[in-house]
Amino acid sequence: MASSYTRLQLRDFQTSTADLTAQAYTFTLVNNNSSTAYFAMEGVRYWNGTEFVYKTLFPSASLSALTNCTVVSGSTNAGFIINPNATATFVFTPTATIAKEQMQFSAPNAQVFSLGDATASGSLLGVDLAITP
């Protein structure tokens, strides 16, 4: 599974395009801004047959090989601070399959309109995401 998400998409939470199986995935976060940027991955709230609970991502997955970023994580989420004008990477390794609808990603990318933005999306600055196995 290889997937990518644009700055425009990451302004809102995005669920994974495919299940994440028990293997290593490299997350590549491109920050084209001259200040730090942020990225979050979270387990979503779902019905377990008895009650609503949040998908626990950690410790059922691990993070390693962080480059150009720092992380703070809890049992259901991880928040990343990405260095200015940098490409950050980390390896996310689930120990069991995480269903695509139980995990979501976001980056609070600023909406900046410019004559250089031919799409008028306001998505010139912020974080793009690519995930590769």
Side-chain angles (χ1 to χ4, degrees):
M1 173 209 94
S3 57
S4 61
Y5 304 86
T6 66
R7 291 184 280 279
L8 177 61
Q9 289 173 311
L10 288 174
R11 269 199 224 123
D12 297 314
F13 279 104
Q14 298 294 312
T15 56
S16 181
T17 57
D19 295 346
L20 299 179
T21 58
Q23 65 176 343
Y25 294 90
T26 299
F27 280 59
T28 302
L29 302 158
V30 178
N31 177 15
N32 70 344
N33 201 354
S34 59
S35 63
T36 56
Y38 304 92
F39 172 75
M41 55 192 330
E42 298 183 2
V44 300
R45 189 170 184 242
Y46 69 99
W47 180 256
N48 71 0
T50 308
E51 63 185 329
F52 283 102
V53 296
Y54 285 91
K55 173 65 178 169
T56 301
L57 299 179
F58 307 100
S60 54
S62 64
L63 295 170
S64 62
L66 277 76
T67 304
N68 290 323
C69 63
T70 56
V71 65
V72 175
S73 65
S75 63
T76 62
N77 59 19
F80 298 83
I81 301 170
I82 305 157
N83 295 348
N85 292 314
T87 297
T89 59
F90 64 87
V91 175
F92 177 77
T93 308
T95 56
T97 298
I98 298 174
K100 63 184 177 183
E101 62 275 357
Q102 291 186 331
M103 184 175 178
Q104 57 189 7
F105 315 111
S106 73
N109 292 324
Q111 189 167 11
V112 178
F113 291 98
S114 164
L115 293 176
D117 183 2
T119 66
S121 66
S123 300
L124 290 174
L125 301 173
V127 176
D128 282 320
L129 166 65
I131 304 170
T132 53

